[in-house]
Amino acid sequence: MAKVWSCAVHCLTFVLPPHRHGPLKLHIRHATPFATTLRANQPRRQAQTSCFVRHSNNSSSAPSGSSKSQKVEAQRLSKILAAAGVASRRAAEEIITAGRVSVNDKIEPLPQRKVVPGKDKILVDGNPLALHRQKQLYFALNKPKGYICSNKASLRDQQTPRLVVHLFSEWLKRLASKPSSSQSLPPRLYTVGRLDVQSTGLILVTNDGGWANEVAHPSSGITKEYIVTTSEAPNKKQMRELTLGCVIDGTQVQPVDVQLEASDPSKRNKIRLVLSEGKNREVRQLVSSVGLEVTSLKRVRIGGYRLPTDLGIGQFRELKVHEVRLVLDKGAQANPYL
């Protein structure tokens, strides 16, 4: 028999940088020698150092089913209507203030009223609000001249107006006729922003109120690109003045970029304008402020998404997932001429 040194194990703790599941503690066991008796022919063993990692996250001891007991939070009434596909956030606010929405059998005129989906009884025009989320749809439309970017006619219209959403009538009929359609109700489509009735080009159409609000709101930093045809070729002075902008409704408005259209050098009366604002008839007022007359106006880009060259006037196509993201991609809109 022979005496050899064996080990007793103690534990040291070191705190490592934060981990996605919480702070980590590294426990290292080290050996302290003490004497013991072994057989003479037993091989000597090196004192072993073991280490292991564990998460010091107290939440790991929480019951696995605790997340199921979370309560549904109260939300703004206008947000709930937009999420259900009733209208865009702004249009939903108009619907509410017009007295067309009731909560628990009482007319609710305040868009900011907090309600709990599934608990509070919500009616729109007397019909129960479908709280299940419809499939979100996103379209790019090449708007024809003479169409209005609105879902309802104005009282000033002397004749039956042609609305942009009317261009989707046949598509909606085909959707409703499909027996496998997941839409319990036809989707309510609306335009994202506007183009005046005499303008053509790219307009986005959707039933996703949150996305529409994000694209249209100035805080998103989205720019829009237009090609303007004027009655005569602008001179250098007019181009310089156009770059400086003008005052519209008491506010100084200035284009992000102004260039002569380079794709057709033979036509020097085409101007490419990039704007970050969205004021009514802003492009036309900018051009007229320098003494030029607009003969045609076409929008060719919104954010990072450009109007497809093969999309004919009055035609539309459903956007793919990456194209929906491209609209809000500031990197893609950094070079407006790509």
Side-chain angles (χ1 to χ4, degrees):
M1 304 292 288
K3 285 188 177 180
V4 297
W5 291 99
S6 185
C7 6
V9 176
H10 294 271
C11 186
L12 294 179
T13 300
F14 300 91
V15 179
L16 298 180
H19 187 266
R20 62 175 181 173
H21 297 299
L24 295 178
K25 290 184 178 180
L26 181 64
H27 297 262
I28 300 180
R29 290 178 177 176
H30 69 97
T32 300
F34 67 94
T36 188
T37 302
L38 297 176
R39 293 181 182 272
N41 59 352
Q42 183 174 358
R44 296 184 59 177
R45 297 180 180 178
Q46 296 291 333
Q48 296 180 351
T49 300
S50 64
C51 82
F52 61 93
V53 176
R54 81 180 177 192
H55 300 287
S56 60
N57 189 347
N58 294 333
S59 63
S60 61
S61 60
S64 59
S66 60
S67 60
K68 297 181 180 180
S69 62
Q70 292 179 353
K71 296 182 178 179
V72 178
E73 295 183 357
Q75 302 176 33
R76 287 171 59 98
L77 182 57
S78 59
K79 181 179 180 181
I80 293 174
L81 263 61
V86 173
S88 67
R89 186 82 64 89
R90 185 176 299 177
E93 292 176 353
E94 296 176 356
I95 291 173
I96 295 169
T97 55
R100 296 168 55 189
V101 180
S102 65
V103 178
N104 298 328
D105 299 322
K106 294 183 179 179
I107 298 296
E108 179 52 64
L110 300 177
Q112 66 270 26
R113 161 75 185 276
K114 294 293 185 68
V115 297
V116 180
K119 179 180 178 181
D120 292 309
K121 180 183 176 182
I122 305 172
L123 302 181
V124 180
D125 294 332
N127 300 315
L129 180 66
L131 291 178
H132 67 278
R133 195 177 185 89
Q134 289 186 324
K135 177 187 176 183
Q136 294 176 329
L137 302 168
Y138 309 89
F139 298 94
L141 168 74
N142 192 350
K143 175 188 169 300
K145 190 175 181 179
Y147 278 78
I148 301 173
C149 294
S150 175
N151 283 44
K152 58 183 179 180
S154 171
L155 295 176
R156 294 175 296 180
D157 295 323
Q158 300 299 319
Q159 56 186 4
T160 303
R162 294 186 295 177
L163 305 181
V164 165
V165 291
H166 290 166
L167 296 170
F168 291 83
S169 298
E170 291 301 320
W171 182 87
L172 289 171
K173 288 179 182 178
R174 291 196 301 269
L175 179 67
S177 65
K178 292 181 179 179
S180 60
S181 175
S182 61
Q183 305 280 2
S184 58
L185 293 173
R188 188 181 187 277
L189 300 176
Y190 39 85
T191 59
V192 181
R194 295 186 178 183
L195 274 177
D196 66 64
V197 66
Q198 297 301 319
S199 299
T200 64
L202 179 61
I203 189 79
L204 300 174
V205 179
T206 185
N207 64 341
D208 185 346
W211 183 78
N213 185 66
E214 186 176 2
V215 173
H217 201 276
S219 63
S220 66
I222 292 301
T223 61
K224 302 175 182 67
E225 184 179 335
Y226 303 83
I227 293 180
V228 186
T229 304
T230 57
S231 56
E232 58 182 319
N235 55 43
K236 292 182 179 180
K237 182 176 181 294
Q238 289 172 321
M239 289 294 290
R240 185 165 53 251
E241 291 176 348
L242 191 56
T243 303
L244 296 175
C246 68
V247 176
I248 299 178
D249 297 332
T251 303
Q252 178 67 31
V253 176
Q254 187 174 10
V256 175
D257 194 19
V258 180
Q259 298 286 340
L260 286 175
E261 173 55 30
S263 62
D264 191 352
S266 64
K267 297 181 179 179
R268 306 301 295 177
N269 61 335
K270 288 183 179 291
I271 305 172
R272 189 179 292 265
L273 280 173
V274 178
L275 304 176
S276 59
E277 300 287 339
K279 295 184 179 296
N280 185 33
R281 300 177 68 84
E282 179 180 354
V283 177
R284 295 181 183 274
Q285 293 188 62
L286 278 168
V287 175
S288 63
S289 70
V290 300
L292 293 172
E293 180 185 354
V294 176
T295 58
S296 69
L297 173 60
K298 180 179 182 180
R299 182 158 65 193
V300 295
R301 181 178 59 82
I302 298 176
Y305 183 80
R306 185 171 294 277
L307 179 68
T309 56
D310 61 344
L311 191 63
I313 293 290
Q315 295 181 348
F316 59 88
R317 68 173 52 168
E318 188 169 358
L319 298 182
K320 298 177 182 178
V321 174
H322 75 276
E323 292 175 322
V324 175
R325 295 172 181 167
L326 195 62
V327 173
L328 290 165
D329 188 343
K330 295 180 182 179
Q333 74 175 12
N335 188 345
Y337 305 115
L338 289 179

